[in-house]
Amino acid sequence: MQRNKRVLITGSPGAGKTSIINGLKNKGYSTFSEFSRSIIKDAKIKGKTNFFLSEPLKFSEKLLEERKKQFYNSESITKAKDNIVFFDRGIHDIYAYLKAIGKKAPELKKQIYSFKYDLVFLLDPWKEIFKKDNERLESFEQAKNYYIYIKKVYSKQHNLIEVPKSSIDERIFYIESFFKKNG
């Protein structure tokens, strides 16, 4: 049996990743959602306004645990369309975010680089669609900063495929076309 390809959609906060993931899911692809939103919601209920900035290492450890589960669980999906599983953000994002706020985490770095995705699609900052919400707490300027580190961290281990700015349907078509052209 062929192993599922692990395909990551990552990049700037507020660049359209989740909309693309939802569109791919609607087209029958297997997907994993962004898990940090669940952690942020739970922390807010407990009175932590910005859990990532107040306790970055603790937040990151919780997030790493869940993203590792997603990574491993992708292997057990037996009927993935075209043997592809899409992820809304990945394991390496955790380390990138820590680097962006100046936190050293050498033990986390080693652990993170033991994981590799088959393909990584990258979305750059897009001011026209960026919106803050209850879980997206950063400003557009902060989002641009996170993007720089996300790109650096992933490019050390992966070839990045930049997704052009266009409608959700056109972006999904771009991603699907990549597989048709490159297998």
Side-chain angles (χ1 to χ4, degrees):
M1 188 171 123
Q2 182 181 353
R3 180 181 71 76
N4 291 326
K5 286 183 183 169
R6 293 181 180 107
V7 179
L8 182 64
I9 310 290
T10 193
S12 174
K17 294 174 302 300
T18 301
S19 295
I20 292 170
I21 287 288
N22 291 338
L24 290 163
K25 184 176 184 175
N26 290 339
K27 292 188 91 171
Y29 289 98
S30 298
T31 62
F32 285 100
S33 299
E34 162 63 288
F35 196 80
S36 64
R37 288 182 167 270
S38 298
I39 296 172
I40 294 166
K41 282 179 190 175
D42 290 345
K44 281 188 167 190
I45 290 168
K46 296 173 184 167
K48 296 180 182 181
T49 319
N50 193 327
F51 185 23
F52 173 66
L53 290 180
S54 64
E55 297 179 66
L57 294 176
K58 190 172 181 181
F59 177 91
S60 297
E61 287 168 8
K62 286 181 99 128
L63 188 53
L64 178 60
E65 183 181 318
E66 293 304 320
R67 287 198 180 147
K68 282 169 49 176
K69 283 181 193 173
Q70 289 180 338
F71 188 89
Y72 291 127
N73 286 341
S74 70
E75 294 174 2
S76 63
I77 299 172
T78 56
K79 295 186 180 180
K81 182 178 178 179
D82 298 333
N83 290 98
I84 300 170
V85 177
F86 288 97
F87 298 81
D88 186 347
R89 289 212 180 277
I91 293 170
H92 300 62
D93 288 66
I94 299 164
Y95 181 60
Y97 269 65
L98 288 171
K99 284 184 63 111
I101 64 166
K103 287 288 177 193
K104 304 272 186 212
E107 67 291 339
L108 187 62
K109 178 182 179 181
K110 184 178 179 183
Q111 194 176 155
I112 288 205
Y113 282 116
S114 70
F115 292 89
K116 190 169 193 303
Y117 294 88
D118 295 295
L119 284 171
V120 177
F121 288 94
L122 184 69
L123 283 72
D124 62 336
W126 191 356
K127 189 168 183 106
E128 289 75 20
I129 68 168
F130 180 87
K131 290 182 186 132
K132 287 179 88 168
D133 60 30
N134 289 333
E135 288 82 42
R136 182 176 300 119
L137 307 173
E138 58 272 312
S139 67
F140 183 70
E141 290 304 313
Q142 290 169 313
K144 289 192 319 187
N145 185 52
Y146 286 128
Y147 172 79
I148 292 165
Y149 286 93
I150 290 165
K151 188 172 183 176
K152 279 183 190 177
V153 167
Y154 279 103
S155 66
K156 288 185 181 191
Q157 188 181 26
H158 300 84
N159 291 322
L160 306 178
I161 303 146
E162 297 199 33
V163 179
K165 293 175 180 169
S166 58
S167 73
I168 297 300
D169 288 339
E170 289 170 330
R171 289 172 130 192
I172 291 168
F173 178 79
Y174 177 84
I175 291 166
E176 287 182 307
S177 296
F178 185 88
F179 288 104
K180 289 177 183 160
K181 290 178 191 168
N182 301 294

